[in-house]
Amino acid sequence: MTKSYFRPEIDAMAGYVPGEQPKMANLVKLNTNENPFAPSPEVEKVLKNFNTEQMRRYPDPRADALRCAVAQRNGLEKDNVIVGNGSDDILTMIFRAFTSPDRAMAMLYPSYSLYAELAAMQGAKVIRIALAEKTFALPDDLLEQAKEANLLMITRPNAPTGNSFDISVIENICCSFDGIVTIDEAYADFAEDNCMELVKKYSNVIVMRTFSKSYALAGLRLGYAVSSKEIVEGLMKLKDSYNVDMLSQHIALAAYNDTEYFAARTAEVKEMRSMLKAELEKLGFYCVDSKSNFLFAMPPDQDGNRCFTGLRNEAVIVRYFPGDATGKYVRITIGNPAENARLLEVLRSMYA
Ligand SMILES: *Cc1c(COP(=O)(O)O)cnc(C)c1O
């Protein structure tokens, strides 16, 4: 045995595995919840008019123009907002700040598996709170299960299941939990409500958003978090100095301000979500009630792996999560009309 120079926590980690980005031709890619539409045309204008001479300068380290825009839209102040290189960057800050060998993290299961990897890097204990079968609802004793944790991660709407949780239940958790409650709202723009107002009422609450899904800017890497000024100030201490590049700051602001385009595209995705759900149900699928831009769907034979493989053989890529709680399902991102039609065509050949 040769000696490892890594910390034991790192040697013990498997590492997060992102959804694949295959390079096959004519691929129908419905596996990583990207938006089926292009980003706002304002994005292209920014790129065309960008004065590259500016780039020899460092970017604004705190991305204040974006912070002000987010604050203004939500009735908050700039000091309530922090911007990151994707919301994964925000998650890194949160885990560095609030987890350690004696500060545990509690998360829903199934949920976003990156949280457990980030906790492992910190040597922090992970408490997994199982959701109900089929409905993926929260358990009644969530607070009891989470009570030893310093950080509670709530994904709302949840991934990979797509369902949301009653906002009054979330509020009760925020006011009763003795620690930080982070609500990851990566998909909130596809839902009917969100938890922004809870930030104003409870100083231990962090709400996170990303431009990757609803703004169709996964390639850009832009996310932000909103919280009390004390928490934002603390997180600022441990972010990379220039964590958001200059181009991303300009582009994100332009996309954020094009509210009309955003509302129209988001409405279309939601409409296609109900159409797709109805068609899947006709084929005998069970679909979890989705408030996101994807469907968590159980095929009639309850074999998620067979569904995934059958689709993949026809160059339609969805996501399959092996395991007891998830292995009966596939997660299908809402595509554009042609992609959804092709998905249904292959599924009809398999299950009709
Ligand atoms: C996609 C996703 C993110 C990551 O967003 P980025 O801004 O692309 O890093 C965070 N949380 C959940 C639950 C997601 O699904």
Side-chain angles (χ1 to χ4, degrees), residues 86-88 112 155 184 186-187 210 212-213 221:
S87 55
D88 287 354
Y112 191 31
T155 318
D184 185 343
Y187 300 100
T210 175
S212 295
K213 315 297 175 19
R221 313 306 305 132

Side-chain angles (χ1 to χ4, degrees), residues 32-33 85-89 91 111-112 114-115 155 157-159 184 186-187 208-213 218 221-223 294 331:
T32 49
N33 300 342
N85 181 33
S87 55
D88 287 354
D89 182 34
L91 286 169
S111 186
Y112 191 31
L114 179 67
Y115 308 146
T155 318
N158 192 30
D184 185 343
Y187 300 100
M208 294 177 37
R209 296 281 179 89
T210 175
F211 278 65
S212 295
K213 315 297 175 19
R221 313 306 305 132
L222 208 295
F294 57 86
R331 192 192 68 188

Side-chain angles (χ1 to χ4, degrees), residues 183-227:
I183 307 168
D184 185 343
E185 292 198 332
Y187 300 100
D189 292 321
F190 303 104
E192 279 105 63
D193 61 6
N194 63 66
C195 297
M196 265 312 168
E197 290 302 311
L198 298 182
V199 167
K200 296 175 196 168
K201 290 167 98 170
Y202 306 100
S203 60
N204 61 329
V205 174
I206 303 175
V207 169
M208 294 177 37
R209 296 281 179 89
T210 175
F211 278 65
S212 295
K213 315 297 175 19
S214 53
Y215 286 89
L217 287 169
L220 192 72
R221 313 306 305 132
L222 208 295
Y224 62 88
V226 174
S227 187

